Amino acid sequence: MVSAPLLLTFALLISQCDGQEPQDAQTELWVELEQPNTRGGNETDLDDEEQRDQPSAVDVMYAQLVKSIPATARRLFKPANIQLDTVLFQLHFLHVEQRLFDLRRQGVSAALARDDPFSAESGAMRLLLGPSFQQWRGLFRNETTLRQFAQDTATQVSSEGIVVDMTIDESRLEPGGIGGLILKLTSLGLTGIKHFRHIVSARLPVEKIDFMTRISGILVLRASQVLVIPTGLEGRLRSLPQRQKGSVAVPLAGKVTSQGDESMRTDRVREMFPDINGSTLTCIGFLSDSFDTRGNAETLFEQGDLPANVTVLEELPGNGTDEGSGMMELAFDVVPGCPKFEFHTASFAQGILDLAELGCEVIVDDVIDLPEPMFADGRPNAPTLTQQHTAHNTIIAQAVDLVSAAGKAYYSSAGNNGDSAIQEYYNSSGVRNNISFGFFELEYEWHKFSQTDSIDFPFTLEVDRLNFGILNWDQRYASVFGLPGKLCDLDIFIFTEESVKDLVPITASFEGAGGVDFIERGDPIEVIFFTNPGPGENLVLRIGKLIPAGVEEPPPDPDYIGLVWFRRTTIGLIEPDFFGNTTYGHSNARTATAVGAAEYLNTTEFGTVPSRVNDFSSRGGVLIWFGPDGEKLEQPEIRLKPNVCGPDGANTNFFPPVNREERDREGDGFPNFFGTSASAPHVAALAGLIIDRQRVRNEPALTPEQITRLLESTAEDMQDIVVLEDSEGFDFRTGFGFVNGTKAFEALEGIWAPRPPHSFPIQL
């Protein structure tokens, strides 16, 4: 037995941090061991002194993995050949952390295990991984934590892998083309592969993220981040007035009736026209997170709160909130005769096409794919609905336009982000700084914000609050139009009030390629998610343009930027820091009907005249800068979104499933469903009644656009709660106003003439 510490030499193959593609090199690692047995096994297994002095296989693997981290971090942080998003970057290293943990359990020597390369005190890795990394350490050791990560990051990640979207440049694929690529992906263990044009989607094993960045022809590799429109509004709702109307609605469909039925006056429509209740519809389609992962559907069927025929085309794998069944409850109270509902979880573009193919005359969703393009729709990828094998991230706005052209009325939640955005022209300050990322530095030129007249944008976020930030700029989207894509790379930086003085951000986004070859590759999209680590609530935002090393001329500036915060905040009723347009993506599609929200207690039928929009209902007006073929428009297209407002805050049986006491506004034992997620199915069901009326009366069917124009022209005018001077007619907070079922039907009956379209100037 050797009693003194040993000095071991490990000859390891590691990658070098020289800015080039990693190369193998011999490096010696000297480790002073406290224990003579480095293998973690029984010393009697060793044959002689020399064998005992050799490092164990576990020690070699552990040291090799630790030594590879800096080079891998540098290569994946700003790869020159691919746009890799922040979520996948972090997941790669969370998986490495798990591998180190597993090796330690196998008996790594104490000296090796002593140093943690992912320590919160590690300056080299701190900014690269961000504060959220420490929150999710051990992710792959705890299934509950993994599910929470999936919920908080709006991803579909599980122990089997994560759903990703890839944008492909077929000209750079290896021999065999797209077919050869799919074979390679299959051999790597990717499953559920879907291919449409230059988009491929699949479930990617987390341990293969690094390898995927080495495959030729992949331009963008991004986690599919599909977020159910957030309903975490408890702090705001408690401050709203609580009033009751004297009459109580009698349930027509099941045990619980939505008060939104009364606020839209659709209860009176069914009284006026008893033969109209949705019975001639084939089905209404719903897209949300899940339908029955909590096991409440059987009760809803037994009570009659859902139609007897509900088909689930695709359910969320794992636990969900069952927001889909909550949406169905609200809609069924408006169309109690509808024979069938169809449900599809938010794999999105495919789900939209599937629901349309099954004959659903009305489709409604309450989800957004976070990386949806803000400034472009593109051209629909298929001339007819018969082409179905699309990918998760095929531009969802195109799918909406496609089904609308086929006569399907599409309704979408406008969002619950209020004014929480920045939309402005890009203004280069000329100020440049180097930002240290531990292992290396990058140079940035800062944008000057018009609101603050500074490169700094102060804002508040409560300690331990999660925040998503989605940044777009007006350069071409490779995933929409193919190459060329973006021409520059912008990044989001978050500082504290103190750390900004020393240029030490607490976190940053870093999608996009960082080398010379990044020009004309990828999408002008950055996604950041972070939790404010404290100790204070005051933070500073900066947006920087990367100045790549080795480029004689800096890349061109964009003309316009848009940043939307998906904030979880309870600070006041009005957004305290930002004022911008937040309805983007498919809800801003030309043919979608985007729906804002007004609590039913704050509508005319319940005593508030005019009806009052919720402060969190998203503001429209996001500009479209690109035509269908990718051409930059001389003047951006401005779409009038939201189109209308509908009711929220109404009763359901089980949704939302948490904070039941806070959500039971009336104290009647039933939770109240808030947000544009609740208003959209109400208005979609009203559209279903209109379709039903035309059929019952044997009158020509209305197109989806005609139904929307009818709802707009008969809506009750509302006031923008922030910009009161725009209170008459359309505004970007309330659209054309709160829907009115009786007015819409009176217009169809010729009893009442709808008002003419509004005209008003819009200033850019």
Side-chain angles (χ1 to χ4, degrees):
M1 175 182 294
V2 179
S3 57
L6 299 178
L7 198 63
L8 299 180
T9 302
F10 290 175
L12 302 176
L13 296 176
I14 68 168
S15 300
Q16 298 297 301
C17 297
D18 59 359
Q20 306 297 320
E21 196 67 16
Q23 300 178 3
D24 291 341
Q26 293 286 335
T27 300
E28 291 188 339
L29 173 65
W30 296 85
V31 182
E32 186 176 359
L33 299 178
E34 295 179 343
Q35 301 296 329
N37 180 11
T38 65
R39 298 193 300 178
N42 191 321
E43 289 181 2
T44 60
D45 295 338
L46 301 177
D47 295 335
D48 51 41
E49 190 81 11
E50 181 180 357
Q51 187 176 358
R52 287 197 300 272
D53 288 349
Q54 299 304 311
S56 71
V58 172
D59 279 354
V60 171
M61 286 188 291
Y62 190 90
Q64 199 170 19
L65 188 56
V66 169
K67 274 296 187 180
S68 71
I69 288 172
T72 305
R74 176 167 186 142
R75 188 175 61 80
L76 296 184
F77 183 71
K78 284 286 184 184
N81 62 318
I82 191 171
Q83 181 171 342
L84 179 72
D85 77 1
T86 309
V87 174
L88 295 179
F89 180 88
Q90 287 205 354
L91 274 179
H92 168 80
F93 289 104
L94 285 167
H95 188 263
V96 172
E97 190 268 347
Q98 178 63 38
R99 290 170 62 192
L100 293 175
F101 176 84
D102 291 339
L103 289 171
R104 285 196 297 271
R105 293 184 63 185
Q106 295 178 39
V108 168
S109 64
L112 281 177
R114 183 183 300 121
D115 295 327
D116 179 5
F118 296 121
S119 168
E121 287 73 40
S122 173
M125 296 300 294
R126 183 188 57 78
L127 178 58
L128 280 175
L129 297 177
S132 60
F133 181 87
Q134 298 300 326
Q135 175 185 354
W136 298 114
R137 287 192 62 164
L139 180 73
F140 295 102
R141 298 191 284 276
N142 188 315
E143 193 68 29
T144 300
T145 305
L146 185 60
R147 287 196 297 267
Q148 188 63 48
F149 177 87
Q151 178 179 332
D152 285 356
T153 59
T155 57
Q156 297 181 56
V157 62
S158 67
S159 55
E160 286 76 37
I162 182 168
V163 175
V164 296
D165 300 309
M166 293 166 263
T167 301
I168 307 302
D169 177 7
E170 296 193 38
S171 69
R172 300 196 181 195
L173 289 176
E174 296 175 354
I178 193 70
L181 173 64
I182 291 176
L183 287 175
K184 177 179 286 189
L185 298 179
T186 302
S187 68
L188 288 173
L190 278 72
T191 58
I193 299 174
K194 299 178 182 179
H195 165 233
F196 193 87
R197 295 183 66 185
H198 53 272
I199 302 292
V200 173
S201 295
R203 184 172 291 276
L204 167 67
V206 174
E207 65 270 18
K208 299 296 174 61
I209 291 173
D210 181 17
F211 190 87
M212 292 290 293
T213 65
R214 303 170 185 262
I215 298 178
S216 299
I218 300 179
L219 291 176
V220 179
L221 180 63
R222 175 179 287 128
S224 177
Q225 292 183 272
V226 180
L227 180 70
V228 175
I229 300 299
T231 56
L233 310 167
E234 293 85 353
R236 299 178 175 195
L237 295 170
R238 284 195 295 271
S239 64
L240 292 176
Q242 299 197 24
R243 299 185 300 275
Q244 289 291 336
K245 190 174 180 181
S247 62
V248 178
V250 177
L252 295 177
K255 180 180 178 180
V256 178
T257 292
S258 163
Q259 297 93 333
D261 182 38
E262 187 174 355
S263 69
M264 292 193 304
R265 300 169 67 94
T266 42
D267 59 339
R268 298 192 185 185
V269 167
R270 294 191 307 275
E271 291 175 4
M272 295 165 55
F273 309 102
D275 54 345
I276 297 173
N277 59 16
S279 59
T280 67
L281 297 174
T282 301
C283 66
I284 296 179
F286 298 81
L287 294 107
S288 189
D289 75 323
S290 63
F291 170 69
D292 190 32
T293 62
R294 295 178 177 270
N296 294 319
E298 183 176 354
T299 300
L300 296 176
F301 288 128
E302 290 175 352
Q303 294 176 173
D305 282 298
L306 293 179
N309 189 353
V310 174
T311 300
V312 178
L313 302 180
E314 183 177 323
E315 179 65 288
L316 182 75
N319 294 332
T321 66
D322 293 351
E323 192 156 335
S325 61
M327 295 170 67
M328 289 183 183
E329 280 193 70
L330 301 178
F332 195 47
D333 287 330
V334 179
V335 284
C338 185
K340 186 178 183 180
F341 285 168
E342 302 270 3
F343 176 80
H344 203 296
T345 193
S347 58
F348 233 161
Q350 182 63 56
I352 293 170
L353 299 179
D354 286 347
L355 291 170
E357 278 290 320
L358 289 170
C360 294
E361 295 95 337
V362 180
I363 302 173
V364 57
D365 79 76
D366 71 336
V367 284
I368 185 168
D369 198 349
L370 294 179
E372 286 188 63
M374 285 186 191
F375 302 138
D377 294 336
R379 187 179 299 281
N381 285 332
T384 69
L385 291 177
T386 57
Q387 292 183 307
Q388 294 187 49
H389 301 292
T390 185
H392 291 280
N393 201 36
T394 295
I395 305 308
I396 302 166
Q398 298 175 4
V400 171
D401 289 343
L402 188 61
V403 299
S404 297
K408 316 298 182 181
Y410 199 93
Y411 293 80
S412 184
S413 304
N416 298 342
N417 294 304
D419 309 303
S420 186
I422 297 172
Q423 306 278 341
E424 65 182 31
Y425 285 93
Y426 186 82
N427 181 19
S428 177
S429 66
V431 178
R432 294 187 181 183
N433 293 119
N434 287 343
I435 300 294
S436 173
F437 293 92
F439 303 123
F440 51 90
E441 289 188 345
L442 294 176
E443 185 179 16
Y444 285 89
E445 186 172 85
W446 303 112
H447 164 67
K448 184 177 181 180
F449 294 96
S450 61
Q451 183 171 325
T452 63
D453 195 31
S454 168
I455 61 176
D456 293 336
F457 195 109
F459 70 101
T460 54
L461 183 69
E462 293 153 294
V463 175
D464 295 329
R465 283 280 181 174
L466 178 70
N467 195 103
F468 278 104
I470 316 298
L471 174 68
N472 280 221
W473 55 100
D474 63 336
Q475 293 177 350
R476 280 172 54 100
Y477 299 85
S479 61
V480 181
F481 306 114
L483 294 178
K486 64 177 183 177
L487 299 177
C488 73
D489 185 21
L490 302 185
D491 287 315
I492 307 167
F493 292 84
I494 306 297
F495 301 84
T496 66
E497 289 181 310
E498 293 301 316
S499 72
V500 72
K501 301 173 184 177
D502 300 320
L503 294 176
V504 181
I506 61 173
T507 192
S509 71
F510 36 80
E511 292 193 27
V516 175
D517 291 339
F518 86 100
I519 301 296
E520 299 187 353
R521 298 170 65 83
D523 292 334
I525 299 174
E526 290 284 326
V527 180
I528 188 173
F529 69 99
F530 67 97
T531 300
N532 181 8
E537 296 182 349
N538 296 322
L539 301 175
V540 176
L541 163 72
R542 282 192 184 183
I543 295 175
K545 185 183 76 171
L546 179 66
I547 307 298
V551 177
E552 293 184 5
E553 293 293 330
D557 292 341
D559 294 321
Y560 195 81
I561 60 172
L563 174 66
V564 175
W565 284 132
F566 288 81
R567 309 184 78 194
R568 306 292 200 273
T569 180
T570 58
I571 303 175
L573 293 178
I574 305 299
E575 172 58 53
D577 305 312
F578 301 92
F579 183 82
N581 315 106
T582 57
T583 298
Y584 75 96
H586 71 280
S587 59
N588 194 38
R590 185 179 290 105
T591 60
T593 301
V595 182
E599 187 180 7
Y600 81 88
L601 286 170
N602 287 328
T603 63
T604 296
E605 286 297 290
F606 286 81
T608 300
V609 183
S611 298
R612 186 178 187 274
V613 68
N614 291 335
D615 72 285
F616 55 75
S617 190
S618 283
R619 181 177 297 280
V622 171
L623 305 178
I624 300 297
W625 284 97
F626 291 93
D629 295 316
E631 70 278 14
K632 184 74 177 289
L633 302 177
E634 292 185 6
Q635 289 293 325
E637 181 182 348
I638 304 173
R639 294 173 181 171
L640 306 187
K641 307 291 180 179
N643 300 84
V644 291
C645 286
D648 78 335
N651 280 352
T652 69
N653 278 277
F654 300 109
F655 190 84
V658 294
N659 298 327
R660 193 180 185 94
E661 293 76 15
E662 291 182 348
R663 298 296 187 90
D664 184 9
R665 297 292 300 278
E666 306 86 4
D668 56 10
F670 300 111
N672 300 91
F673 186 173
F674 285 96
T676 55
S677 296
S679 60
H682 277 110
V683 177
L686 170 54
L689 283 183
I690 293 171
I691 294 171
D692 187 46
R693 179 211 176 272
Q694 298 304 100
R695 291 176 178 172
V696 170
R697 296 287 187 271
N698 291 316
E699 295 182 7
L702 301 180
T703 66
E705 181 180 8
Q706 288 173 325
I707 295 174
T708 299
R709 298 299 168 258
L710 174 66
L711 296 177
E712 291 173 346
S713 62
T714 58
E716 170 199 3
D717 192 27
M718 303 169 70
Q719 288 188 342
D720 184 332
I721 58 175
V722 178
V723 188
L724 295 179
E725 60 266 27
D726 289 339
S727 60
E728 185 175 352
F730 175 88
D731 62 69
F732 286 116
R733 172 77 78 175
T734 70
F736 288 93
F738 191 81
V739 294
N740 187 317
T742 55
K743 290 292 186 184
F745 271 71
E746 287 171 356
L748 290 172
E749 296 285 333
I751 301 172
W752 181 81
R755 62 176 180 269
H758 301 282
S759 61
F760 53 93
I762 296 179
Q763 300 294 330
L764 291 182

